[in-house]
Structures are given as structure tokens and as C-alpha cells.
Coordinates of all heavy atoms in Angstrom, one line a residue:
M363 N 20.8 6.1 -46.0 CA 20.6 5.0 -45.0 C 19.2 5.1 -44.4 O 18.6 4.1 -44.2 CB 21.7 5.0 -44.0 CG 21.6 3.8 -43.1 SD 23.0 3.5 -42.0 CE 24.4 3.9 -42.9
L364 N 18.8 6.3 -44.1 CA 17.5 6.5 -43.5 C 16.4 6.0 -44.5 O 15.4 5.4 -44.0 CB 17.2 8.0 -43.2 CG 18.0 8.5 -42.0 CD1 17.8 10.0 -41.9 CD2 17.6 7.8 -40.7
D365 N 16.5 6.3 -45.8 CA 15.5 5.8 -46.7 C 15.5 4.3 -46.7 O 14.4 3.7 -46.8 CB 15.9 6.3 -48.1 CG 15.7 7.8 -48.3 OD1 14.9 8.4 -47.5 OD2 16.3 8.4 -49.2
Q366 N 16.6 3.6 -46.6 CA 16.7 2.2 -46.6 C 16.0 1.6 -45.4 O 15.3 0.6 -45.4 CB 18.1 1.7 -46.7 CG 18.7 1.9 -48.0 CD 20.2 1.6 -48.0 OE1 20.9 1.8 -47.0 NE2 20.7 1.2 -49.1
M367 N 16.2 2.3 -44.2 CA 15.6 1.9 -43.0 C 14.0 2.0 -43.1 O 13.3 1.1 -42.7 CB 16.1 2.7 -41.8 CG 17.5 2.3 -41.4 SD 18.0 3.3 -40.0 CE 19.7 2.8 -39.8
H368 N 13.6 3.1 -43.7 CA 12.1 3.3 -43.8 C 11.6 2.3 -44.8 O 10.5 1.8 -44.6 CB 11.8 4.7 -44.3 CG 11.9 5.7 -43.2 ND1 11.0 5.7 -42.1 CD2 12.8 6.7 -42.9 CE1 11.3 6.7 -41.3 NE2 12.4 7.3 -41.8
A369 N 12.3 2.0 -45.9 CA 11.9 1.0 -46.9 C 11.7 -0.4 -46.3 O 10.9 -1.2 -46.7 CB 12.8 1.0 -48.1
L370 N 12.6 -0.7 -45.3 CA 12.5 -2.0 -44.7 C 11.5 -2.0 -43.5 O 11.3 -3.0 -42.9 CB 13.9 -2.4 -44.1 CG 15.0 -2.7 -45.2 CD1 16.3 -2.8 -44.5 CD2 14.6 -4.0 -45.9
G371 N 10.9 -0.9 -43.3 CA 9.9 -0.8 -42.2 C 10.5 -0.7 -40.8 O 10.0 -1.1 -39.8
L372 N 11.7 -0.1 -40.7 CA 12.4 0.1 -39.5 C 12.3 1.6 -39.1 O 13.4 2.3 -38.9 CB 13.9 -0.3 -39.7 CG 14.1 -1.8 -40.1 CD1 15.5 -2.1 -40.4 CD2 13.6 -2.7 -39.0
A373 N 11.1 2.1 -38.8 CA 10.9 3.5 -38.5 C 11.6 3.8 -37.2 O 12.1 4.9 -37.0 CB 9.5 3.8 -38.5
G374 N 11.5 2.9 -36.2 CA 12.1 3.2 -34.9 C 13.6 3.3 -35.0 O 14.2 4.2 -34.4
M375 N 14.2 2.4 -35.8 CA 15.7 2.5 -35.9 C 16.1 3.8 -36.7 O 17.1 4.4 -36.3 CB 16.2 1.3 -36.7 CG 16.3 0.0 -35.9 SD 17.1 -1.3 -36.8 CE 18.8 -0.9 -36.7
A376 N 15.3 4.2 -37.6 CA 15.6 5.4 -38.4 C 15.5 6.6 -37.5 O 16.4 7.5 -37.5 CB 14.6 5.5 -39.6
A377 N 14.5 6.6 -36.6 CA 14.4 7.8 -35.7 C 15.5 7.8 -34.7 O 16.1 8.9 -34.4 CB 13.0 7.7 -35.0
A378 N 15.9 6.7 -34.2 CA 17.1 6.6 -33.3 C 18.4 7.0 -34.0 O 19.2 7.7 -33.4 CB 17.2 5.2 -32.7
Y379 N 18.5 6.5 -35.2 CA 19.7 6.9 -36.0 C 19.8 8.4 -36.2 O 20.9 9.0 -36.0 CB 19.7 6.1 -37.3 CG 20.9 6.4 -38.2 CD1 22.1 5.7 -38.0 CD2 20.8 7.3 -39.3 CE1 23.2 6.0 -38.8 CE2 21.9 7.5 -40.1 CZ 23.1 6.9 -39.9 OH 24.1 7.1 -40.7
R380 N 18.7 9.0 -36.6 CA 18.6 10.4 -36.8 C 19.0 11.2 -35.5 O 19.7 12.1 -35.5 CB 17.3 10.8 -37.3 CG 17.2 12.3 -37.8 CD 15.9 12.7 -38.4 NE 15.2 11.7 -39.2 CZ 14.1 10.9 -38.7 NH1 13.6 11.2 -37.5 NH2 13.5 10.1 -39.5
Q381 N 18.4 10.7 -34.4 CA 18.6 11.4 -33.1 C 20.0 11.2 -32.7 O 20.6 12.2 -32.1 CB 17.6 10.8 -32.1 CG 17.7 11.5 -30.7 CD 16.7 10.9 -29.7 OE1 16.3 9.8 -29.9 NE2 16.4 11.7 -28.7
L382 N 20.6 10.1 -32.8 CA 22.0 9.9 -32.4 C 23.0 10.8 -33.3 O 24.0 11.2 -32.8 CB 22.4 8.4 -32.6 CG 21.9 7.5 -31.5 CD1 22.2 6.0 -31.9 CD2 22.5 7.8 -30.2
G383 N 22.6 11.0 -34.5 CA 23.4 11.8 -35.4 C 23.4 13.3 -35.0 O 24.3 14.0 -35.1
E384 N 22.2 13.7 -34.4 CA 22.1 15.1 -34.0 C 22.7 15.4 -32.6 O 23.0 16.5 -32.3 CB 20.6 15.4 -33.9 CG 19.9 15.4 -35.3 CD 18.4 15.5 -35.2 OE1 17.8 15.5 -34.0 OE2 17.7 15.6 -36.2
Q385 N 22.9 14.3 -31.8 CA 23.4 14.5 -30.5 C 25.0 14.6 -30.5 O 25.6 13.9 -31.3 CB 23.0 13.4 -29.5 CG 21.5 13.4 -29.2 CD 21.1 12.2 -28.4 OE1 21.9 11.3 -28.1 NE2 19.9 12.2 -28.0
S386 N 25.5 15.5 -29.7 CA 27.0 15.6 -29.7 C 27.7 14.4 -29.0 O 28.8 14.0 -29.4 CB 27.4 16.9 -28.9 OG 26.9 16.8 -27.5
H387 N 27.0 13.7 -28.0 CA 27.7 12.6 -27.4 C 27.4 11.3 -28.1 O 27.9 10.2 -27.7 CB 27.3 12.5 -25.9 CG 25.8 12.2 -25.7 ND1 25.2 11.0 -26.2 CD2 24.8 12.9 -25.1 CE1 24.0 11.0 -25.8 NE2 23.7 12.1 -25.2
G388 N 26.7 11.3 -29.3 CA 26.4 10.1 -30.0 C 27.7 9.5 -30.6 O 27.8 8.3 -30.8
S389 N 28.7 10.4 -30.9 CA 29.9 9.8 -31.5 C 30.8 9.2 -30.4 O 31.7 8.5 -30.7 CB 30.7 10.9 -32.2 OG 31.0 12.0 -31.3
D390 N 30.5 9.4 -29.1 CA 31.3 8.8 -28.0 C 30.9 7.3 -27.9 O 31.7 6.6 -27.2 CB 31.0 9.5 -26.7 CG 31.5 11.0 -26.8 OD1 32.3 11.3 -27.7 OD2 31.0 11.8 -25.9
L391 N 29.8 6.9 -28.4 CA 29.4 5.5 -28.3 C 30.0 4.6 -29.3 O 30.3 5.0 -30.4 CB 27.8 5.5 -28.4 CG 27.0 6.3 -27.5 CD1 25.5 6.3 -27.9 CD2 27.1 5.9 -26.1
S392 N 30.2 3.3 -28.8 CA 30.8 2.4 -29.8 C 29.7 1.9 -30.7 O 28.5 2.2 -30.6 CB 31.3 1.1 -29.0 OG 30.2 0.4 -28.4
F393 N 30.1 1.2 -31.8 CA 29.2 0.7 -32.8 C 28.1 -0.1 -32.1 O 26.9 0.0 -32.4 CB 29.9 0.0 -33.9 CG 29.0 -0.7 -34.9 CD1 28.4 0.0 -35.9 CD2 28.7 -2.1 -34.8 CE1 27.6 -0.5 -36.8 CE2 27.9 -2.7 -35.7 CZ 27.3 -1.9 -36.7
D394 N 28.5 -1.0 -31.3 CA 27.6 -1.9 -30.6 C 26.6 -1.2 -29.8 O 25.4 -1.5 -29.7 CB 28.3 -3.0 -29.7 CG 29.0 -4.0 -30.6 OD1 28.7 -4.2 -31.7 OD2 29.9 -4.7 -30.0
E395 N 27.0 -0.1 -29.1 CA 26.1 0.7 -28.2 C 25.1 1.4 -29.1 O 23.9 1.5 -28.8 CB 26.9 1.6 -27.4 CG 27.7 1.0 -26.3 CD 28.7 1.9 -25.6 OE1 29.2 2.9 -26.2 OE2 28.9 1.7 -24.4
R396 N 25.6 2.0 -30.2 CA 24.7 2.7 -31.1 C 23.7 1.8 -31.7 O 22.5 2.1 -31.8 CB 25.5 3.4 -32.2 CG 26.3 4.5 -31.6 CD 27.1 5.2 -32.7 NE 26.2 6.2 -33.3 CZ 26.6 7.1 -34.2 NH1 27.8 7.0 -34.7 NH2 25.7 8.0 -34.6
L397 N 24.1 0.6 -32.2 CA 23.2 -0.4 -32.8 C 22.2 -0.9 -31.7 O 21.0 -1.0 -32.0 CB 24.0 -1.6 -33.4 CG 23.2 -2.6 -34.0 CD1 22.4 -2.1 -35.2 CD2 24.1 -3.8 -34.5
G398 N 22.7 -1.1 -30.5 CA 21.8 -1.5 -29.4 C 20.7 -0.5 -29.1 O 19.5 -0.9 -28.9
L399 N 21.1 0.8 -29.1 CA 20.1 1.8 -28.9 C 19.0 1.9 -30.0 O 17.8 2.0 -29.8 CB 20.8 3.2 -28.8 CG 21.5 3.4 -27.5 CD1 22.3 4.7 -27.6 CD2 20.6 3.5 -26.3
M400 N 19.5 1.7 -31.3 CA 18.6 1.7 -32.4 C 17.7 0.5 -32.4 O 16.5 0.6 -32.6 CB 19.4 1.8 -33.7 CG 20.1 3.1 -33.9 SD 20.8 3.3 -35.6 CE 21.9 2.0 -35.7
L401 N 18.2 -0.6 -32.0 CA 17.3 -1.8 -31.9 C 16.3 -1.7 -30.8 O 15.2 -2.1 -30.9 CB 18.2 -3.1 -31.7 CG 19.0 -3.5 -32.9 CD1 20.0 -4.6 -32.6 CD2 18.1 -4.0 -34.1
D402 N 16.8 -1.2 -29.6 CA 15.8 -0.9 -28.5 C 14.7 -0.1 -28.9 O 13.5 -0.3 -28.6 CB 16.6 -0.3 -27.3 CG 17.5 -1.3 -26.6 OD1 17.3 -2.5 -26.8 OD2 18.3 -0.8 -25.8
R403 N 15.0 1.0 -29.7 CA 13.9 1.9 -30.1 C 13.0 1.2 -31.1 O 11.8 1.4 -31.0 CB 14.6 3.1 -30.8 CG 13.6 4.1 -31.4 CD 13.0 5.0 -30.4 NE 13.9 5.9 -29.8 CZ 14.3 7.1 -30.2 NH1 13.7 7.6 -31.3 NH2 15.1 7.8 -29.6
E404 N 13.5 0.4 -32.0 CA 12.6 -0.4 -32.9 C 11.7 -1.3 -32.2 O 10.5 -1.4 -32.4 CB 13.5 -1.1 -33.9 CG 12.7 -1.8 -35.0 CD 11.9 -0.9 -35.9 OE1 12.3 0.2 -36.2 OE2 10.8 -1.4 -36.3
I405 N 12.3 -2.0 -31.2 CA 11.5 -3.0 -30.4 C 10.4 -2.3 -29.6 O 9.3 -2.7 -29.6 CB 12.4 -3.8 -29.5 CG1 13.3 -4.8 -30.3 CG2 11.6 -4.6 -28.5 CD1 14.4 -5.4 -29.5
A406 N 10.8 -1.1 -29.0 CA 9.8 -0.4 -28.3 C 8.6 0.1 -29.2 O 7.5 0.1 -28.8 CB 10.4 0.8 -27.6
L407 N 9.0 0.6 -30.4 CA 8.0 1.1 -31.3 C 7.1 0.0 -31.7 O 5.8 0.2 -31.8 CB 8.7 1.7 -32.5 CG 7.8 2.4 -33.5 CD1 7.1 3.6 -33.0 CD2 8.5 2.6 -34.8
R408 N 7.6 -1.2 -32.0 CA 6.8 -2.3 -32.5 C 5.9 -2.8 -31.3 O 4.7 -3.2 -31.6 CB 7.7 -3.4 -33.0 CG 8.3 -3.1 -34.3 CD 9.1 -4.2 -34.9 NE 9.7 -3.8 -36.1 CZ 10.0 -4.6 -37.1 NH1 9.7 -5.9 -37.0 NH2 10.5 -4.2 -38.2
T409 N 6.4 -2.8 -30.1 CA 5.6 -3.2 -29.0 C 4.5 -2.3 -28.8 O 3.3 -2.7 -28.5 CB 6.5 -3.3 -27.7 OG1 7.6 -4.2 -28.0 CG2 5.7 -3.8 -26.5
D410 N 4.7 -1.0 -28.9 CA 3.7 0.0 -28.7 C 2.6 -0.1 -29.8 O 1.4 0.0 -29.5 CB 4.2 1.4 -28.7 CG 5.0 1.8 -27.5 OD1 4.9 1.0 -26.5 OD2 5.7 2.8 -27.5
K411 N 3.0 -0.3 -31.0 CA 2.1 -0.5 -32.1 C 1.2 -1.8 -31.9 O 0.0 -1.7 -32.1 CB 2.8 -0.7 -33.5 CG 3.2 0.6 -34.1 CD 3.7 0.3 -35.5 CE 4.1 1.6 -36.2 NZ 4.7 1.3 -37.5
R412 N 1.9 -2.8 -31.5 CA 1.1 -4.1 -31.2 C 0.1 -3.9 -30.2 O -1.1 -4.3 -30.3 CB 2.1 -5.2 -30.8 CG 1.6 -6.6 -30.9 CD 2.6 -7.7 -30.7 NE 3.7 -7.5 -31.6 CZ 5.0 -7.4 -31.2 NH1 5.3 -7.3 -29.9 NH2 6.0 -7.3 -32.1
L413 N 0.4 -3.2 -29.1 CA -0.5 -3.0 -28.0 C -1.6 -2.1 -28.5 O -2.8 -2.3 -28.2 CB 0.2 -2.3 -26.8 CG -0.7 -2.0 -25.6 CD1 -1.4 -3.2 -25.1 CD2 0.1 -1.2 -24.6
T414 N -1.3 -1.0 -29.2 CA -2.3 -0.1 -29.8 C -3.3 -0.9 -30.7 O -4.5 -0.7 -30.6 CB -1.7 1.0 -30.5 OG1 -0.8 1.7 -29.6 CG2 -2.7 2.0 -31.1
N415 N -2.8 -1.7 -31.5 CA -3.7 -2.5 -32.4 C -4.6 -3.5 -31.6 O -5.7 -3.6 -32.0 CB -2.8 -3.3 -33.4 CG -2.2 -2.4 -34.5 OD1 -2.7 -1.2 -34.7 ND2 -1.2 -2.8 -35.1
R416 N -4.0 -4.1 -30.6 CA -4.8 -5.1 -29.8 C -5.9 -4.3 -29.1 O -7.0 -4.8 -28.9 CB -3.9 -5.8 -28.9 CG -3.1 -6.9 -29.6 CD -2.2 -7.6 -28.7 NE -1.4 -8.6 -29.4 CZ -0.4 -9.3 -28.9 NH1 0.0 -9.0 -27.7 NH2 0.2 -10.2 -29.6
L417 N -5.6 -3.2 -28.5 CA -6.6 -2.4 -27.8 C -7.7 -1.9 -28.8 O -8.9 -1.9 -28.4 CB -6.0 -1.2 -27.1 CG -5.1 -1.5 -25.9 CD1 -4.4 -0.3 -25.4 CD2 -6.0 -2.1 -24.8
A418 N -7.3 -1.6 -30.0 CA -8.3 -1.1 -31.0 C -9.2 -2.3 -31.4 O -10.4 -2.2 -31.5 CB -7.7 -0.5 -32.2
T419 N -8.6 -3.5 -31.5 CA -9.3 -4.7 -31.9 C -10.3 -5.1 -30.8 O -11.4 -5.6 -31.1 CB -8.4 -5.8 -32.3 OG1 -7.5 -5.4 -33.3 CG2 -9.1 -7.1 -32.7
A420 N -9.9 -4.9 -29.6 CA -10.7 -5.4 -28.4 C -12.0 -4.6 -28.3 O -12.9 -5.1 -27.8 CB -9.9 -5.3 -27.1
K421 N -12.0 -3.4 -28.8 CA -13.2 -2.5 -28.8 C -13.7 -2.4 -27.3 O -14.9 -2.7 -27.1 CB -14.3 -3.0 -29.7 CG -13.8 -2.9 -31.2 CD -14.9 -3.4 -32.1 CE -14.4 -3.4 -33.5 NZ -15.3 -4.0 -34.4
L422 N -12.8 -2.1 -26.4 CA -13.2 -2.0 -25.0 C -14.2 -0.9 -24.8 O -14.1 0.2 -25.4 CB -12.0 -1.8 -24.2 CG -10.9 -2.9 -24.2 CD1 -9.7 -2.5 -23.5 CD2 -11.5 -4.2 -23.7
R423 N -15.1 -1.1 -23.9 CA -16.1 -0.1 -23.6 C -15.4 1.1 -23.0 O -15.8 2.3 -23.3 CB -17.1 -0.7 -22.6 CG -18.2 0.2 -22.3 CD -19.3 -0.4 -21.5 NE -20.3 0.5 -21.0 CZ -21.1 0.2 -20.1 NH1 -21.1 -0.9 -19.5 NH2 -22.0 1.1 -19.7
F424 N -14.5 0.9 -22.1 CA -13.7 2.0 -21.4 C -12.2 1.8 -21.7 O -11.5 1.3 -20.9 CB -14.0 2.1 -19.9 CG -15.4 2.3 -19.6 CD1 -16.2 1.2 -19.1 CD2 -16.0 3.5 -19.8 CE1 -17.6 1.4 -18.8 CE2 -17.4 3.7 -19.5 CZ -18.1 2.6 -19.0
A425 N -11.8 2.2 -22.9 CA -10.4 1.9 -23.3 C -9.4 2.5 -22.4 O -8.3 2.0 -22.3 CB -10.2 2.3 -24.7
N426 N -9.7 3.6 -21.8 CA -8.7 4.4 -21.0 C -8.9 4.1 -19.5 O -8.3 4.9 -18.7 CB -8.7 5.9 -21.3 CG -8.3 6.1 -22.8 OD1 -7.4 5.5 -23.3 ND2 -8.9 7.1 -23.4
A427 N -9.6 3.1 -19.2 CA -9.9 2.9 -17.7 C -8.6 2.4 -17.1 O -7.8 1.7 -17.7 CB -10.9 1.8 -17.6
S428 N -8.4 2.8 -15.8 CA -7.3 2.3 -15.0 C -7.7 2.1 -13.6 O -8.7 2.7 -13.1 CB -6.1 3.3 -15.1 OG -6.5 4.5 -14.5
I429 N -6.9 1.4 -12.8 CA -7.2 1.2 -11.4 C -7.3 2.5 -10.6 O -8.1 2.6 -9.8 CB -6.1 0.3 -10.8 CG1 -6.1 -1.1 -11.5 CG2 -6.2 0.1 -9.3 CD1 -7.3 -1.9 -11.2
E430 N -6.4 3.4 -11.0 CA -6.4 4.7 -10.3 C -7.7 5.5 -10.4 O -8.0 6.3 -9.6 CB -5.2 5.6 -10.8 CG -3.9 5.0 -10.5 CD -3.4 3.9 -11.4 OE1 -4.0 3.8 -12.5 OE2 -2.5 3.2 -11.1
D431 N -8.5 5.2 -11.5 CA -9.7 5.9 -11.7 C -10.9 5.3 -11.0 O -12.0 5.9 -11.2 CB -10.0 6.0 -13.2 CG -8.9 6.8 -14.0 OD1 -8.3 7.7 -13.3 OD2 -8.7 6.6 -15.2
I432 N -10.8 4.2 -10.3 CA -11.9 3.6 -9.7 C -12.4 4.5 -8.5 O -11.6 5.0 -7.7 CB -11.6 2.2 -9.1 CG1 -11.2 1.3 -10.2 CG2 -12.7 1.7 -8.3 CD1 -10.8 -0.1 -9.8
D433 N -13.7 4.8 -8.5 CA -14.3 5.6 -7.5 C -14.9 4.7 -6.4 O -15.9 4.1 -6.6 CB -15.4 6.5 -8.1 CG -16.1 7.4 -7.1 OD1 -15.5 7.6 -6.0 OD2 -17.2 7.9 -7.4
F434 N -14.2 4.6 -5.3 CA -14.6 3.8 -4.2 C -15.7 4.4 -3.3 O -16.2 3.8 -2.5 CB -13.4 3.3 -3.4 CG -12.5 2.4 -4.1 CD1 -11.3 2.9 -4.6 CD2 -12.8 1.1 -4.2 CE1 -10.4 2.1 -5.3 CE2 -11.9 0.2 -4.9 CZ -10.7 0.7 -5.4
S435 N -16.0 5.7 -3.6 CA -16.9 6.4 -2.7 C -18.4 6.0 -3.0 O -19.2 6.0 -2.1 CB -16.8 7.9 -2.8 OG -17.1 8.3 -4.2
T436 N -18.6 5.5 -4.2 CA -20.0 5.0 -4.5 C -20.1 3.6 -4.0 O -19.2 2.9 -4.0 CB -20.3 5.1 -6.1 OG1 -19.3 4.3 -6.7 CG2 -20.2 6.5 -6.6
H437 N -21.3 3.3 -3.6 CA -21.6 2.0 -3.0 C -21.9 0.9 -4.1 O -23.0 0.8 -4.6 CB -22.7 2.0 -2.0 CG -22.4 3.0 -0.9 ND1 -21.5 2.6 0.1 CD2 -22.8 4.2 -0.6 CE1 -21.4 3.6 0.9 NE2 -22.2 4.6 0.5
R438 N -20.8 0.2 -4.5 CA -20.9 -0.9 -5.5 C -20.4 -2.2 -4.9 O -20.3 -3.2 -5.7 CB -20.2 -0.5 -6.7 CG -20.8 0.7 -7.5 CD -20.0 1.0 -8.7 NE -18.7 1.6 -8.3 CZ -17.8 1.9 -9.1 NH1 -17.9 1.7 -10.4 NH2 -16.7 2.5 -8.6
G439 N -20.1 -2.2 -3.7 CA -19.6 -3.5 -3.0 C -18.2 -3.7 -3.3 O -17.7 -4.9 -3.2
L440 N -17.4 -2.7 -3.7 CA -16.0 -2.9 -4.0 C -15.2 -2.6 -2.7 O -15.3 -1.6 -2.1 CB -15.5 -1.9 -5.1 CG -16.1 -2.2 -6.5 CD1 -15.6 -1.1 -7.4 CD2 -15.7 -3.5 -7.0
D441 N -14.3 -3.6 -2.4 CA -13.4 -3.4 -1.2 C -12.1 -2.8 -1.7 O -11.5 -3.5 -2.6 CB -13.2 -4.7 -0.5 CG -12.3 -4.6 0.7 OD1 -12.2 -3.5 1.3 OD2 -11.6 -5.6 1.0
R442 N -11.7 -1.6 -1.3 CA -10.5 -1.0 -1.8 C -9.3 -1.9 -1.6 O -8.5 -2.0 -2.6 CB -10.3 0.4 -1.1 CG -9.0 1.1 -1.5 CD -8.8 2.3 -0.6 NE -9.7 3.4 -0.9 CZ -9.5 4.3 -1.8 NH1 -8.5 4.3 -2.5 NH2 -10.4 5.3 -1.9
R443 N -9.1 -2.4 -0.4 CA -7.9 -3.3 -0.2 C -7.9 -4.5 -1.1 O -6.9 -4.9 -1.6 CB -7.9 -3.7 1.3 CG -7.3 -2.6 2.2 CD -7.2 -3.1 3.6 NE -8.5 -2.7 4.2 CZ -9.2 -3.4 5.1 NH1 -8.7 -4.5 5.5 NH2 -10.3 -3.0 5.5
N444 N -9.1 -5.1 -1.3 CA -9.1 -6.3 -2.2 C -8.8 -5.9 -3.7 O -8.0 -6.6 -4.3 CB -10.5 -6.9 -2.1 CG -10.6 -8.3 -2.7 OD1 -9.6 -8.9 -2.9 ND2 -11.8 -8.7 -3.0
V445 N -9.3 -4.8 -4.2 CA -9.1 -4.4 -5.5 C -7.6 -4.1 -5.7 O -7.0 -4.5 -6.7 CB -10.0 -3.2 -5.9 CG1 -9.6 -2.6 -7.3 CG2 -11.4 -3.7 -6.0
L446 N -7.0 -3.3 -4.8 CA -5.6 -2.9 -4.9 C -4.7 -4.2 -4.8 O -3.7 -4.2 -5.5 CB -5.3 -1.9 -3.9 CG -6.0 -0.5 -4.1 CD1 -5.6 0.4 -3.0 CD2 -5.7 0.1 -5.4
S447 N -5.1 -5.1 -4.0 CA -4.3 -6.3 -3.9 C -4.4 -7.1 -5.2 O -3.3 -7.7 -5.6 CB -4.9 -7.2 -2.7 OG -4.3 -8.5 -2.7
L448 N -5.5 -7.2 -5.8 CA -5.6 -7.9 -7.1 C -4.8 -7.1 -8.1 O -4.2 -7.8 -9.0 CB -7.1 -7.9 -7.5 CG -8.0 -8.9 -6.8 CD1 -9.4 -8.6 -7.1 CD2 -7.6 -10.3 -7.0
A449 N -4.8 -5.8 -8.1 CA -4.1 -5.0 -9.1 C -2.6 -5.2 -9.0 O -1.9 -5.1 -10.0 CB -4.4 -3.5 -9.0
Q450 N -2.1 -5.4 -7.8 CA -0.7 -5.6 -7.5 C -0.2 -7.1 -7.8 O 0.9 -7.4 -7.7 CB -0.3 -5.2 -6.1 CG -0.5 -3.8 -5.9 CD -0.3 -3.4 -4.4 OE1 -0.1 -4.3 -3.6 NE2 -0.2 -2.1 -4.1
G451 N -1.2 -7.9 -8.1 CA -0.8 -9.3 -8.5 C -0.6 -10.2 -7.3 O 0.0 -11.2 -7.4
A452 N -1.2 -9.9 -6.2 CA -1.1 -10.7 -5.0 C -1.6 -12.1 -5.2 O -1.1 -13.1 -4.7 CB -1.8 -10.0 -3.8
W453 N -2.6 -12.2 -6.0 CA -3.2 -13.5 -6.3 C -2.3 -14.4 -7.1 O -2.3 -15.6 -6.9 CB -4.5 -13.4 -7.1 CG -4.4 -12.7 -8.4 CD1 -4.3 -11.3 -8.6 CD2 -4.3 -13.3 -9.6 NE1 -4.2 -11.1 -9.9 CE2 -4.2 -12.2 -10.6 CE3 -4.3 -14.6 -10.1 CZ2 -4.1 -12.5 -12.0 CZ3 -4.2 -14.8 -11.4 CH2 -4.1 -13.8 -12.4
L454 N -1.4 -13.8 -7.9 CA -0.4 -14.6 -8.6 C 0.7 -15.2 -7.6 O 1.1 -16.3 -7.7 CB 0.3 -13.8 -9.6 CG -0.5 -13.5 -10.9 CD1 0.2 -12.5 -11.8 CD2 -0.8 -14.7 -11.6
K455 N 1.1 -14.3 -6.7 CA 2.1 -14.7 -5.7 C 1.6 -15.8 -4.8 O 2.3 -16.7 -4.4 CB 2.5 -13.5 -4.9 CG 3.3 -12.4 -5.7 CD 3.5 -11.2 -4.9 CE 3.9 -10.0 -5.8 NZ 3.9 -8.8 -5.2
A456 N 0.3 -15.7 -4.5 CA -0.3 -16.6 -3.6 C -0.4 -18.0 -4.2 O -0.3 -19.1 -3.5 CB -1.7 -16.2 -3.2
T457 N -0.6 -18.1 -5.5 CA -0.7 -19.4 -6.2 C 0.6 -20.1 -6.4 O 0.7 -21.2 -6.6 CB -1.5 -19.3 -7.5 OG1 -0.7 -18.4 -8.4 CG2 -2.9 -18.8 -7.3
R458 N 1.7 -19.3 -6.4 CA 3.0 -19.8 -6.6 C 3.6 -20.5 -5.3 O 4.5 -21.3 -5.4 CB 4.0 -18.7 -7.0 CG 3.7 -18.2 -8.4 CD 4.8 -17.2 -8.8 NE 4.4 -16.7 -10.1 CZ 5.0 -15.6 -10.6 NH1 5.9 -15.0 -10.0 NH2 4.7 -15.2 -11.8
T459 N 3.1 -20.1 -4.2 CA 3.6 -20.7 -2.9 C 2.9 -21.9 -2.5 O 1.9 -22.3 -3.0 CB 3.6 -19.7 -1.8 OG1 2.2 -19.2 -1.6 CG2 4.5 -18.5 -2.1

């Protein structure tokens, strides 16, 4: 069955199937629960791959940049409160009202 999953390109489901088989409480789950867990793993794997591919295609200058890494101590005219508000999506909430 694992070979068939791999042949169909379902690596996430195959990994989840293997892991459920190794766990002692895996047999306590119903068929629907086990299938749901395997599908969740496959969806998560595909989503991660899609994001990785898009980031590679974007060729970002600072691919690992994040809001937490901003250095506000240097004088670049960045207002900490304004940047954090933008990062939390306050501008989206403001346009909805």
C-alpha cells in the first residue's frame, strides 16, 4: 500500500499511514479518523511544498526576513507601533468597518 501511495505522489499520506501503523493508539481510531489524519498530512505537505516553491521563484533578497528581526534602534524613520500595527493586519480591519 505504501508503494501505491508513493506511486500516486501521496508522500504525506504514506508517511502518516506508516506513523499510524507504528503507534499503539493508532488502532483505537476509526477508519474515518485515520483517513482524515492521512489527508490532513498530505494537504499540509503540499501546502508547504507550494510555499517553498513560490518563495524560491520569488528570489527574495532577504528570504528569511521577518517582522521580529526588524532593528528599530537604527534611524531609518520606522515607527515601531506603526510597523507592528501593519503586521497585525490593523489596516485590513480598518477598511472593513
Side-chain angles (χ1 to χ4, degrees):
M363 189 167 322
L364 288 173
D365 291 337
Q366 291 171 329
M367 287 181 186
H368 283 291
L370 291 171
L372 302 171
M375 284 187 75
Y379 181 79
R380 189 178 324 105
Q381 186 179 19
L382 285 171
E384 293 170 356
Q385 294 176 351
S386 61
H387 65 63
S389 59
D390 297 343
L391 301 173
S392 70
F393 173 79
D394 288 340
E395 291 170 329
R396 294 179 87 176
L397 182 60
L399 288 172
M400 291 189 302
L401 288 172
D402 287 343
R403 177 76 67 87
E404 182 66 31
I405 290 169
L407 182 72
R408 289 180 183 214
T409 302
D410 288 347
K411 274 187 180 178
R412 195 174 304 122
L413 177 61
T414 301
N415 289 339
R416 287 180 178 167
L417 287 172
T419 302
K421 298 179 184 175
L422 300 173
R423 184 173 172 196
F424 301 105
N426 296 325
S428 67
I429 296 294
E430 293 81 17
D431 294 337
I432 296 176
D433 182 14
F434 290 101
S435 63
T436 58
H437 297 288
R438 293 180 286 178
L440 295 176
D441 179 28
R442 176 187 290 269
R443 279 182 270 142
N444 191 20
V445 171
L446 295 178
S447 174
L448 289 170
Q450 292 173 352
W453 59 279
L454 288 172
K455 295 172 192 169
T457 59
R458 290 185 185 167
T459 57

